[in-house]
Amino acid sequence: MIISERVKNINPSQTLAITAQALKMKREGKKVISFAAGEPDFDTPENIREEAISAIKEGFSHYTASSGIIELKEAIVKKLRKDNKIEYKTSEIIVSTGAKQCLFNTILTICNPGDEVLLPIPCWVSYTEQIKFAQAVPVFIPTYYQEAFRLNAIQVEEKITPRTKLIILNSPNNPTGAVYDVEELKKIAELLLKYNIYCICDEIYEKLIYDEAKHLSIASLGEEVKDKIITINGVSKSYAMTGWRIGYAAGPEEIISGMSKIQGHSTSNPNSIAQKASVEALIGKQDTIEEMRKAFDERRKYMVERLNKMKGISCLSPSGAFYAFPDVIKILEKGIEYNGKKIKNSFDLSDFILKEAKVALIPGSAFEAEGYLRLSYATSMEDIKEGLYRIENILK
Ligand code: PMP
Ligand code: GLU
């Protein structure tokens, strides 16, 4: 077989695969509504687009420093100081092709084959596969619906072994929308020091929080713990810039230069024009974030209320990000028959909903959590209403 064991061992990204399938159905003329993709439906703000146009006109079209332009690193340093109360030097920052590449480079830089990586679940699809790609071992820490999917430090400590190298925290969380409790995060920070464990804090949804939820960057808890943390963020979600592919990581210089080596031999610099635009995103006016957040908040409330009115579904009100993650176990227990087969898991159910109701969503199993579905509400209110109407009808 020509395919390497490493690649054979990883699964394709289901979020991307189902989004692509919905697009294909749309191209074939089917009236599909997509709750699949985790991306804002808004356009990138005008001031950011203008900056990119200027960069093109000025001929900013050459390779840049592989780890990103200094201007953008300085903007990131300022942003992390102002928003997150963390002090970094530009040598502790790397800019990559999306937060996804930052995560990939961090895991490859820190983990040796056989190292254990703690991963609270439900978790975003790419963490598990990136860990496996690095030949490290994902060790899942379940979080529960009954506890609003919040992580607690006791659960974390129980899973620590002499092989534990890293923990990945994602708050606000994709797919559950959970925002971790500040006190628990402080306790987890103590565990990092006690057991000498590194921590990736994926903060890509930090600006999208609702109600009373508060975001805390663990790296702001002091110099000692900061040495254990790689803070990851990007412009995709906060500035509706998913297609521009700019993410960044901040952490100890040794780790950042390791990541830089990988980047220098794989992709080189992230897109030069997008880097210029991202400077404007981070230092320019910030009011569009609040406009988007308010729209998401309204859609969130509507979606959660409608889902909870459907028989067999219960859904928590997410505190952050832009996903509803309803429990559909009662529907699966009913054992609905479809095409002569029983619908027995979230994959079958999402496939049934896509084929029969033409609504794309992601099965919980993609996030290591059977018995749930993920619906993105980063789409128009009109589509949300129509999509939920179709789901309700088909489940009747
Ligand atoms: N982390 C999480 C939790 C995400 O949901 C995403 C979504 N794509 C990413 C990282 C990667 O974002 P990007 O590569 O677009 O910066
Ligand atoms: N993060 C988004 C999602 O979870 C975008 C797709 C992806 O990169 O996984 O749907």
Coordinates of all heavy atoms in Angstrom, one line a residue, residues 13 15-16 19 36-39 100 124-126 174 205 237 323 362 367 374, ligand 2:
S13 N -11.6 15.5 8.2 CA -12.3 16.4 9.0 C -13.8 16.4 8.6 O -14.2 16.7 7.5 CB -11.8 17.8 8.8 OG -12.7 18.8 9.3
T15 N -16.3 18.2 9.9 CA -16.9 19.5 9.7 C -16.7 19.9 8.3 O -17.7 20.4 7.6 CB -16.3 20.5 10.7 OG1 -14.9 20.4 10.6 CG2 -16.8 20.3 12.1
L16 N -15.5 19.8 7.8 CA -15.3 20.2 6.4 C -16.0 19.3 5.4 O -16.5 19.8 4.4 CB -13.7 20.2 6.1 CG -12.9 21.2 7.0 CD1 -11.5 21.2 6.5 CD2 -13.5 22.6 6.9
T19 N -19.8 20.1 5.3 CA -20.0 21.4 4.7 C -19.8 21.3 3.2 O -20.6 21.8 2.4 CB -18.9 22.4 5.3 OG1 -19.1 22.4 6.7 CG2 -19.2 23.8 4.8
A36 N -23.9 23.4 9.2 CA -22.7 22.6 9.4 C -21.5 23.4 9.7 O -20.8 23.3 10.7 CB -22.5 21.7 8.2
A37 N -21.2 24.4 8.8 CA -19.9 25.1 8.9 C -19.8 26.0 10.1 O -20.8 26.7 10.4 CB -19.7 25.9 7.6
G38 N -18.7 25.9 10.8 CA -18.5 26.9 11.9 C -17.9 28.1 11.4 O -16.7 28.4 11.6
E39 N -18.6 29.0 10.7 CA -18.0 30.2 10.3 C -19.1 31.3 10.2 O -20.2 31.1 9.8 CB -17.3 30.1 8.9 CG -18.1 29.8 7.7 CD -17.3 29.9 6.5 OE1 -16.3 30.7 6.4 OE2 -17.6 29.2 5.5
K100 N -5.6 26.7 13.0 CA -5.4 25.2 12.7 C -3.9 24.9 12.5 O -3.5 23.9 13.1 CB -6.2 24.8 11.5 CG -6.5 23.4 11.4 CD -7.4 23.0 10.2 CE -8.9 23.0 10.6 NZ -9.7 22.5 9.5
W124 N -13.5 19.8 19.5 CA -13.4 20.1 18.1 C -12.7 19.0 17.3 O -11.7 18.4 17.8 CB -12.7 21.5 17.9 CG -12.5 21.9 16.5 CD1 -13.4 21.9 15.5 CD2 -11.3 22.3 15.9 NE1 -12.9 22.3 14.3 CE2 -11.5 22.6 14.5 CE3 -10.0 22.5 16.3 CZ2 -10.6 23.0 13.6 CZ3 -9.0 22.9 15.5 CH2 -9.3 23.2 14.1
V125 N -13.2 18.7 16.1 CA -12.7 17.6 15.3 C -11.2 17.4 15.1 O -10.7 16.3 15.1 CB -13.4 17.6 13.9 CG1 -14.8 17.2 14.0 CG2 -13.2 18.9 13.2
S126 N -10.5 18.5 15.0 CA -9.1 18.4 14.5 C -8.1 18.1 15.6 O -7.0 17.6 15.3 CB -8.7 19.7 13.8 OG -9.4 19.8 12.6
N174 N -15.9 24.7 21.3 CA -16.6 24.2 20.1 C -16.5 22.7 20.3 O -15.4 22.1 20.5 CB -15.7 24.5 18.8 CG -16.3 23.9 17.6 OD1 -17.3 23.3 17.5 ND2 -15.5 24.1 16.5
Y205 N -12.7 31.6 20.1 CA -14.1 32.2 20.3 C -14.2 33.2 21.4 O -15.3 33.5 21.9 CB -15.1 31.0 20.5 CG -15.2 30.1 19.3 CD1 -14.5 28.9 19.3 CD2 -15.9 30.4 18.2 CE1 -14.6 28.0 18.2 CE2 -16.0 29.6 17.1 CZ -15.4 28.4 17.1 OH -15.5 27.5 16.0
K237 N -12.8 33.9 13.4 CA -14.2 34.0 14.0 C -14.5 35.5 14.4 O -15.6 35.9 14.1 CB -14.3 33.1 15.2 CG -13.7 31.7 15.0 CD -14.4 30.8 14.1 CE -13.6 29.5 13.9 NZ -14.3 28.5 13.1
Y323 N -22.5 27.7 18.4 CA -23.1 26.3 18.2 C -24.1 26.0 19.3 O -23.9 26.2 20.4 CB -22.0 25.3 18.2 CG -20.8 25.6 17.3 CD1 -19.6 26.1 17.8 CD2 -20.9 25.4 15.9 CE1 -18.5 26.4 17.0 CE2 -19.8 25.7 15.1 CZ -18.6 26.2 15.7 OH -17.6 26.5 14.9
I362 N -23.8 18.6 12.1 CA -22.7 17.7 12.3 C -23.0 16.7 13.5 O -23.5 17.2 14.5 CB -21.4 18.4 12.7 CG1 -21.1 19.6 11.8 CG2 -20.2 17.5 12.8 CD1 -20.6 19.3 10.4
F367 N -17.3 14.9 17.4 CA -16.6 15.6 18.5 C -16.4 14.7 19.7 O -16.3 15.1 20.8 CB -17.5 16.8 18.9 CG -17.9 17.6 17.7 CD1 -19.2 17.5 17.2 CD2 -17.1 18.6 17.2 CE1 -19.6 18.3 16.1 CE2 -17.4 19.3 16.1 CZ -18.7 19.2 15.6
R374 N -24.6 18.9 16.4 CA -24.1 20.3 16.5 C -24.7 21.1 15.3 O -24.6 20.7 14.2 CB -22.6 20.4 16.4 CG -22.1 21.8 16.7 CD -20.7 22.0 16.3 NE -20.5 22.3 14.9 CZ -19.4 22.7 14.3 NH1 -18.3 22.8 15.0 NH2 -19.3 22.9 13.0
Ligands
GLU2 N1 -14.0 25.2 13.1 C1 -15.1 25.2 12.2 C2 -16.0 24.1 12.6 O1 -15.9 23.5 13.6 C3 -14.7 25.2 10.7 C4 -14.4 23.9 10.1 C5 -13.2 23.3 10.6 O2 -12.1 23.9 10.4 O3 -13.3 22.3 11.3 O4 -17.0 23.8 11.9

